Amino acid sequence: QVQLVESGGGLVQAGGSLRVNCAAIARTLRNYAVGWFRQAPGKEREIVAAISQNSGRTYYADSVKGRFTIGRSNAENTVHLQMNSLEPEDTAVYYCAASQFNNPDTYSDLRGAYDYWGQGTQVTVSS
């Protein structure tokens, strides 16, 4: 089992920035591909960004390209999502998810591909 804990959510005005972090408890997160998902009220959970186990490949949803950046800190055993130029439409609960794939250069944008999920952190962007 991999226990994931998100942190860093909060309230920000439109145009502002937030950084959310995903930490693994008692596991080395660099051994896993990680995805960030979000779920707004009344909507399906959707992919935001993903990073492969070896950090060689990343994925971004079209809605966040150019504004969000996913990255790892192996020293801190975390994966972060830096969110800039936030918009009210970015308001959601943000979840990190992790899984191991046969190819360390693999990531996935599919919810079902991930085995482990955090509890989520709320991000609210006011207009």
Side-chain angles (χ1 to χ4, degrees):
Q1 284 284 358
V2 179
Q3 184 179 352
L4 301 176
V5 180
E6 300 95 339
S7 62
L11 173 65
V12 65
Q13 288 188 329
S17 297
L18 275 177
R19 181 177 172 122
V20 289
N21 295 296
C22 176
I25 306 300
R27 287 290 187 274
T28 302
L29 201 54
R30 67 172 177 264
N31 293 335
Y32 296 81
V34 174
W36 277 100
F37 292 75
R38 66 186 181 187
Q39 187 165 18
K43 294 189 176 181
E44 294 283 325
R45 191 172 299 189
E46 63 177 5
I47 183 73
V48 177
I51 188 166
S52 62
Q53 177 183 326
N54 64 7
S55 301
R57 298 178 67 204
T58 56
Y59 168 87
Y60 296 95
D62 287 343
S63 59
V64 306
K65 279 181 183 176
R67 300 188 299 123
F68 291 12
T69 304
I70 189 170
R72 290 183 186 269
S73 170
N74 288 334
E76 298 177 357
N77 199 29
T78 60
V79 172
H80 65 263
L81 184 68
Q82 176 66 43
M83 303 181 291
N84 299 328
S85 302
L86 282 160
E87 303 168 352
E89 294 73 21
D90 296 316
T91 295
V93 178
Y94 283 70
Y95 299 89
C96 68
S99 195
Q100 288 183 310
F101 301 110
N102 290 334
N103 185 342
D105 203 34
T106 299
Y107 62 79
S108 178
D109 59 350
L110 301 176
R111 285 182 299 175
Y114 291 92
D115 297 319
Y116 308 106
W117 290 81
Q119 293 299 305
T121 185
Q122 177 70 46
V123 171
T124 303
V125 185
S126 63
S127 57

